[in-house]
Amino acid sequence: MKILITGGAGFIGSHLVEKLLKENCQVMVLDNLHTGLKENLPEGVSFIEMDVRDENILTVFAKEKFEAIVHLAGQTMVNVSVDDPKFDAAVNIQGTINVLEAARKTGVKRVVFASTAAAYGDAQELPIVETTTLSPLSFYGLSKVTVEHYLALYQEIFNLDYVVLRFANVYGERQGDGGEGGVISIFTKRIASGKSITIYGDGGQTRDFVYAGDIAAGIYCALQTDNVNTAYNLSTQTEVSVNAMVALFDEITGNHVVPLYERARKGDIYRSVLSNVKAITGLGWKPVMSLAEGLKRTYHSFNQQK
Ligand SMILES: NC(=O)c1ccc[n+]([C@@H]2O[C@H](COP(=O)([O-])OP(=O)(O)OC[C@H]3O[C@@H](n4cnc5c(N)ncnc54)[C@H](O)[C@@H]3O)[C@@H](O)[C@H]2O)c1
């Protein structure tokens, strides 16, 4: 299968490229290197440096004739979306429409889209299931929800199949400091360089931390499945408090990590956990990495880079 990964030079993209090459897919990466790095890509992977907003994207699609697109490229930071909603919409909404137009005009069969738990906002019933009302609290979440609606209409009007994947808090090797799920990469890098870490709030706040390699495997399932034109959460369905996550570093580092505590930040959700039942039944996917092992790998990769 010939697949284009937009944003493939980024954190999740680099795990996906690795997975798809292992599965003998033909892979091309399109990325403007805004936050991505060319070094994230294995040698020999076809790469094109281009912005998803670039009109020339159609020429690339017409030449390459992709069967499927995994659309990961995007503005990934909640605070940037709040400071600059126009930029967020230009990249995440208009840039995506540019990709979808090129896709439907060149006979692409399927688009897999990276959506987010932020699409749900502060849902009251946990774990969050896919039918929960989408009530994003930021323009980032709103731009993802908007694209989900575009995908549904592109399917209805142009017959372009899609799979929406709403990722929980993704972590792992090569993660940048911004974006979502950044708490693990920030803490890991600071702990690896002997610096202190600060928890905002009492540390009892929970997240559903899912390893990037598991996300890559979920995207691969989404490329294969017959159960298309719907949304799936990709999550562990396990609620872990920030205090419990930090405690795992004691064993990894052999030191007792003592965090500093500061007042909770406004707008931070206290509890977050997503159901993964639909992905297990509909995609045949299951996360396999334990948080302890995933953190260990992440820590060792950052520790080597210091
Ligand atoms: N990391 C998480 O916890 C998480 C959670 C939910 C959803 N997501 C989504 O997953 C996707 C990948 O996120 P990530 O964590 O790997 O972030 P990332 O910043 O590492 O990856 C994004 C990639 O997109 C590229 N990019 C940005 N703007 C672009 C543009 N205009 N044109 C072309 N390329 C562009 C960047 O250079 C980068 O390589 C994003 O769409 C993000 O919203 C991530």
Side-chain angles (χ1 to χ4, degrees), residues 1 16 19-20 23 25 215-225:
M1 200 192 311
L16 179 62
K19 168 72 180 166
L20 295 187
E23 300 292 344
C25 298
I215 292 290
I219 295 172
Y220 180 66
C221 292
L223 287 164
Q224 305 291 319
T225 187

Side-chain angles (χ1 to χ4, degrees), residues 69-127:
I69 312 296
V70 181
H71 186 46
L72 301 176
Q75 188 303 105
T76 64
M77 295 180 211
V78 168
N79 61 325
V80 170
S81 82
V82 173
D83 291 345
D84 194 350
K86 273 169 76 176
F87 174 68
D88 180 77
V91 175
N92 287 359
I93 301 177
Q94 287 171 353
T96 303
I97 297 171
N98 201 34
V99 170
L100 294 180
E101 278 297 278
R104 64 117 176 159
K105 286 177 180 165
T106 59
V108 169
K109 302 268 181 305
R110 176 175 306 191
V111 177
V112 176
F113 176 61
S115 190
T116 168
Y120 296 113
D122 196 2
Q124 295 308 304
E125 275 187 46
L126 301 178

